[in-house]
């Protein structure tokens, strides 16, 4: 077996190879839904949207049509689209609507009001974004694209240990809302592993969306039900909020790393900008010579992450409200300035860069690629596990808790303001080589997302890993003061000791970020290589084969029949 991470151990899951289409996501049924669209004549966009609808059924703690997210799409003709369907602060919100808990790095407030319940809910963008990108670049009708999700919701699917674990983790909060408890806590207890979860109300909701489109929520009966539920329980989202919501096609952020072009999501996501900033800094170091998982490499990536977080807090917010210096933050000149501040022998704190004059951990991701060259990388979320924990009665629809992403302290770049676009860390990314797609990659994980995507890209480009190896490799995270390390690193005791000697405070954690998945395209053979990691129920599903060989005659001599 080939060497991996400097050892001979295998990956937990196996990579999938195919020639005509590939979909990766954090649940095998969702990936299968995407491939079904390819087999029915759809393209990668149809596949990605079908996968997301299916994920809202089989991975309900992570994504919903009442959520938020981003798409990065490279079309077969070479055009790149990045679509922003992220959440928006309700118009009735106030900057002092919560009481912040001093010193919190995670926007915690008294009573958890921005985390659980109706006051945690922001105006959603997922459904409108999925429908708009389907209209913009897909081939199939919406009614067809939602079909697999409807089947899964109506017929049911098996509760995995992964989903069961999240239900157990959130059971006290889910129990507060009768419609959520009815689905996930039958008899007052978490639905057991192996039991079948059916979502008949949600199946009906999806069918009606297939027939009526996004207007069913944003300007129709479903929106009216949501608005009434909000008004009855102290929530802020109204029919006016829903009707005013807009999806935006943004300019992607672009950068280069060792001759590869990096294309990712721009503001209002912070992820793409910070990903390129970090890669620019790392390009000045010989990472292949340092080696994967060595003290030098881990220390360097940890320091680069701290620099990115310093800049994130100072410069990144809603681009309609705050001037974001994208060109400066992603410039090689700024990277050189920051690179010079790094001491390879010692950890240190960092402040935001001085410009010259003049996000939740429970999210999901999917990738799709077709035989024509269309490639999609999409990250979508409810923010926290099961979002606000609120399921709207008789709809089966979970509501987001994206207000947790807003700074509850007034006067900061990301403080609450009515109608403000909420800042995210999502980083759906496509890597190109000589103008052709090489890698589609992304992950859930809140503020850990862009650092995890960074490491996967480095794993492929600098350390020569396959996509399966790259997504499963142990990760690190550091925004200060603690350096989080997964336990999978080789020679872990020695690594920790060396990092602590350099001034890091090291904490060993079960995992950093969530279930990453991606597609690597072999540019010599055209084969699609899909991988999904052990941190979620992810799977890569692809197909090869093709249509029968035919000639002008019914059968040609020499061809067996």
């Amino acid at each position: 077996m080939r060497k991996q991470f400097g050892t001979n151990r295998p990956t937990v899951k196996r990579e999938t190879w195919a020639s005509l289409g590939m979909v990766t996501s954090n649940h095998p049924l969702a990936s299968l839904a995407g491939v079904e669209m390819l087999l029915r004549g759809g393209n990668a966009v149809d596949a990605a949207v079908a996968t997301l609808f299916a994920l809202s059924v089989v991975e309900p703690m992570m994504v919903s049509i009442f959520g938020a997210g981003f798409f990065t799409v490279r079309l077969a003709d070479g055009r790149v689209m990045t679509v922003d369907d992220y959440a928006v602060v309700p118009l009735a919100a106030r900057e002092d609507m919560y009481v912040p808990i001093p010193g919190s790095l995670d926007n915690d407030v008294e009573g958890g009001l921005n985390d659980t319940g109706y006051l945690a809910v922001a105006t959603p963008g997922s459904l409108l974004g999925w429908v708009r990108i389907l209209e913009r670049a897909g081939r199939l009708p919406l009614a067809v694209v939602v079909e697999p999700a409807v089947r899964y919701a109506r017929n049911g699917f098996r509760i995995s240990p992964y989903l069961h674990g999240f239900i157990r983790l959130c059971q006290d909060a889910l129990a507060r809302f009768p419609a959520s408890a009815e689905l996930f806590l039958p008899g007052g207890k978490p639905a057991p592993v192996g039991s079948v979860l059916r979502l008949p109300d949600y199946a009906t909701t999806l069918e009606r969306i297939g027939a009526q489109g996004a207007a069913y929520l944003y300007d129709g009966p479903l929106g009216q039900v949501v608005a009434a539920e909000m008004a009855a329980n102290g929530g802020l989202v109204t029919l006016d909020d829903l009707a005013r919501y807009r999806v935006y096609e943004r300019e992607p952020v672009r950068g280069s790393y060792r001759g590869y072009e990096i294309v990712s999501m721009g503001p209002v996501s912070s992820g793409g900008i910070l990903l390129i900033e970090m890669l620019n800094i790392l390009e000045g170091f010989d990472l292949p010579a340092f080696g994967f998982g060595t003290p030098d490499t881990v220390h360097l990536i940890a320091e680069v992450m701290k620099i990115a977080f310093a800049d994130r807090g100072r410069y990144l917010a809603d681009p309609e409200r705050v001037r974001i210096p994208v060109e400066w933050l992603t410039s090689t000149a700024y990277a050189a300035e920051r690179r010079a501040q790094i001491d390879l022998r010692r950890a240190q704190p960092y402040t935001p860069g001085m410009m010259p004059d003049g996000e939740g951990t429970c999210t999901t991701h999917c990738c799709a690629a077709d035989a024509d060259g269309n490639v999609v990388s999409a990250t979508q979320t409810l923010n926290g596990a099961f979002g606000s924990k609120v399921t709207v009665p008789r709809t089966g629809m979970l509501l987001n808790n994206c207000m947790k992403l807003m700074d509850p302290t007034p006067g900061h770049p990301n403080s609450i303001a009515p109608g403000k676009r909420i800042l995210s860390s999502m980083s759906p990314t496509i890597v190109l080589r000589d103008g052709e797609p090489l890698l589609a990659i992304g992950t859930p994980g809140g503020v850990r997302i862009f650092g995890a995507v960074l490491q996967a890209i480095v794993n492929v480009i600098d350390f020569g890993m396959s996509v399966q190896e790259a997504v499963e490799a142990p990760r690190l995270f550091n925004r200060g003061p603690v350096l989080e390390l997964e336990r999978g690193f080789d020679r872990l005791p020695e690594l920790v000791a060396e990092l602590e000697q350099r001034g890091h405070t090291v904490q060993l954690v079960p995992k950093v970020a969530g279930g990453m998945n991606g597609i690597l395209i072999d540019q010599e053979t055209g084969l699609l290589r899909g991988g999904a990691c052990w941190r979620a129920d992810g799977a890569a599903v692809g197909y090869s084969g093709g249509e029968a060989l035919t000639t002008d005659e019914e059968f040609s001599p020499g061809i067996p029949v």
Side-chain angles (χ1 to χ4, degrees):
M1 185 173 291
R2 60 172 294 191
K3 286 192 174 183
Q4 175 194 348
F5 321 144
T7 75
N8 290 321
R9 65 174 171 236
T11 55
V12 175
K13 300 182 183 182
R14 297 295 181 91
E15 192 170 282
T16 299
W17 292 53
S19 61
L20 296 180
M22 180 73 68
V23 179
T24 62
S25 79
N26 283 342
H27 197 285
L29 288 176
S31 298
L32 185 62
V35 170
E36 179 182 329
M37 294 303 106
L38 296 177
L39 290 168
R40 295 178 68 170
N43 61 16
V45 173
D46 300 295
V49 175
T51 299
L52 291 168
F53 274 116
L55 284 167
S56 76
V57 176
V58 298
E59 203 185 26
M61 65 286 197
M62 298 295 184
V63 62
S64 163
I65 56 174
F66 209 89
F70 302 100
F71 292 83
T72 299
V73 181
R74 195 270 188 181
L75 298 172
D77 62 8
R79 289 177 296 148
V80 173
M81 299 169 52
T82 55
V83 176
D84 170 3
D85 58 270
Y86 216 70
V88 171
V89 175
L91 296 171
R94 308 183 318 274
E95 66 175 0
D96 60 350
M97 62 185 286
Y98 307 120
V99 179
I101 294 177
S104 170
L105 294 176
D106 296 311
N107 297 336
D108 295 323
V109 303
E110 290 186 6
L113 297 178
N114 64 349
D115 182 63
T116 302
Y118 294 87
L119 272 180
V121 183
T123 307
S126 287
L127 177 60
L128 188 57
W130 303 356
V131 172
R132 288 291 169 79
I133 197 168
L134 197 66
E135 294 170 345
R136 178 85 163 78
R139 295 176 185 163
L140 299 177
L142 177 61
V144 172
V145 171
V146 301
E147 280 182 17
V150 171
R151 290 200 309 268
Y152 299 157
R154 180 156 290 138
N155 298 335
F157 60 96
R158 186 184 67 87
I159 299 271
S160 69
Y162 181 62
L163 173 53
H164 174 77
F166 274 99
I167 296 173
R168 288 185 58 188
L169 179 68
C170 300
Q171 67 180 100
D172 290 344
L174 290 168
R176 292 171 48 187
F177 306 100
S180 298
E182 181 181 0
L183 292 175
F184 303 111
L185 303 171
K189 296 181 180 179
V193 174
S195 64
V196 175
L197 177 60
R198 294 182 175 86
L199 307 171
D201 288 339
Y202 193 52
T204 300
T205 295
L206 292 175
E207 278 185 323
R208 290 174 178 169
I209 287 169
Q212 301 182 36
Y216 183 61
L217 170 61
Y218 290 89
D219 189 28
L222 184 58
Q224 293 170 6
V225 171
V226 171
E229 182 74 4
M230 285 280 161
N233 293 278
L236 300 181
V237 178
T238 66
L239 275 175
D240 191 33
D241 285 298
L242 294 170
R244 288 171 177 255
Y245 183 83
R246 296 292 181 268
V247 169
Y248 292 100
E249 186 173 336
R250 306 283 192 185
E251 279 295 317
V253 290
R254 297 175 181 264
S256 65
Y257 183 67
R258 307 201 195 284
Y260 296 82
E261 184 180 2
I262 313 297
V263 182
S264 194
M265 190 70 214
V268 69
S269 179
S270 65
I273 291 174
L274 299 178
L275 172 65
I276 291 171
E277 177 184 342
M278 292 187 294
L279 287 170
N280 284 342
I281 297 171
L282 289 176
E283 193 166 24
F285 297 92
D286 191 353
L287 289 184
F290 288 174
F292 175 81
T294 62
D296 283 344
T297 295
V298 172
H299 170 78
L300 178 58
I301 293 175
E303 294 297 281
V304 168
M305 282 187 188
K306 286 191 289 185
I307 291 171
F309 271 101
D311 288 338
R312 184 183 191 270
R314 171 63 179 85
Y315 293 112
L316 295 168
D318 181 354
E320 304 299 325
R321 309 290 183 101
V322 174
R323 176 176 174 264
I324 300 175
V326 176
E327 292 186 6
W328 173 64
L329 287 170
T330 59
S331 69
T332 56
Y334 179 60
E337 177 186 330
R338 290 303 235 171
R339 189 183 305 123
Q341 297 169 3
I342 296 173
D343 185 342
L344 279 174
R345 298 164 298 176
R346 192 73 188 165
Q348 57 185 327
Y350 296 91
T351 58
M354 294 301 295
M355 186 173 62
D357 290 338
E359 142 165 348
T361 61
C362 294
T363 300
T364 199
H365 183 82
C366 71
C367 297
D370 61 35
D372 295 329
N374 300 292
V375 180
V376 180
S377 180
T379 312
Q380 302 283 317
T381 191
L382 275 169
N383 187 43
F386 299 100
S388 63
K389 315 303 185 292
V390 175
T391 298
V392 178
R394 298 177 299 282
T395 71
M397 183 175 66
L398 278 158
L399 305 182
N400 69 72
N401 67 336
C402 287
M403 289 298 291
K404 185 70 159 61
L405 297 169
M406 298 302 297
D407 189 336
T409 303
H412 294 173
N414 202 39
S415 296
I416 296 168
K420 195 172 191 178
R421 210 81 171 182
I422 295 174
L423 182 66
S424 170
S425 296
M426 292 182 181
S427 308
T429 299
I430 296 174
V431 179
L432 307 173
R433 181 169 61 190
D434 299 327
E436 296 298 321
L438 172 73
L439 177 68
I441 197 77
T443 189
V447 294
R448 291 163 177 77
I449 288 176
F450 53 84
V453 172
L454 168 85
Q455 291 169 80
I457 292 172
V458 166
N459 289 344
V460 170
I461 294 176
D462 286 325
F463 302 126
M465 294 186 190
S466 69
V467 65
Q468 189 65 42
E469 293 168 335
V471 299
E472 288 205 356
R475 304 175 191 158
L476 64 103
F477 172 74
N478 192 13
R479 64 176 169 184
V482 174
L483 166 57
E484 297 178 5
L485 281 185
E486 289 186 344
R487 294 185 175 92
F489 284 96
D490 291 330
R491 300 175 58 86
L492 188 60
E494 294 90 339
L495 175 61
V496 171
E498 175 61 28
L499 292 169
E500 289 178 340
Q501 186 174 349
R502 297 188 192 194
H504 294 281
T505 300
V506 178
Q507 178 183 1
L508 299 180
V509 297
K511 64 180 182 179
V512 168
M516 181 180 288
N517 58 78
I519 300 171
L520 183 66
I521 302 167
D522 188 315
Q523 294 183 318
E524 293 184 4
T525 65
L527 288 175
L528 308 170
R529 303 170 61 177
C533 79
W534 55 266
R535 299 170 186 87
D537 286 337
V541 178
Y543 82 101
S544 299
E547 297 180 349
L549 178 63
T550 60
T551 65
D552 291 338
E553 299 180 10
E554 184 175 5
F555 300 107
S556 294
I559 299 178
V561 296

